[in-house]
Amino acid sequence: MTLELFHKYIATKEDGRLKHRERKDLEFKANYNFGSIKNGKFSKSMAAFSNADGGVMIFGIKDSPREPIGMSNGKYD
């Protein structure tokens, strides 16, 4: 993914909400941890992307309303 495409995906409206919604090739998650892969939380999305044309998972996006919040897990820059 290019930086330009990433910026397009996380572009916000004036109210701070994202312009883009999730779709078959785009998934938003609030945070990341390895346990979520093991318990299947992210595995379903990854399997769906693999069985289709691929996709992008972007972390640091709150759901309802979709707003960028960053990640609370201090292990990642």
Side-chain angles (χ1 to χ4, degrees), residues 23-26 44-56:
R23 54 185 195 240
K24 69 177 187 169
D25 64 341
L26 179 62
K44 290 179 184 178
S45 296
M46 288 186 231
F49 290 159
S50 327
N51 291 323
D53 293 328
V56 176

Side-chain angles (χ1 to χ4, degrees), residues 2-4 7-8 16 20 23-24 26 28 31 33 35 41-42 44 53-54 56 59 61 64 68 71-72 74 77:
T2 64
L3 189 56
E4 181 181 333
H7 284 161
K8 178 183 171 187
H20 289 277
R23 54 185 195 240
K24 69 177 187 169
L26 179 62
F28 297 120
N31 214 344
N33 63 57
K41 189 174 181 181
F42 301 149
K44 290 179 184 178
D53 293 328
V56 176
F59 295 92
I61 306 295
S64 295
M71 293 192 15
S72 61
D77 292 332

Side-chain angles (χ1 to χ4, degrees), residues 8-37:
K8 178 183 171 187
Y9 285 154
I10 63 166
T12 57
K13 303 175 196 174
E14 290 181 15
D15 64 1
R17 294 179 178 186
L18 292 183
K19 292 181 180 179
H20 289 277
R21 298 182 155 227
E22 291 181 321
R23 54 185 195 240
K24 69 177 187 169
D25 64 341
L26 179 62
E27 185 82 22
F28 297 120
K29 300 291 182 191
N31 214 344
Y32 175 86
N33 63 57
F34 292 109
S36 294
I37 293 174

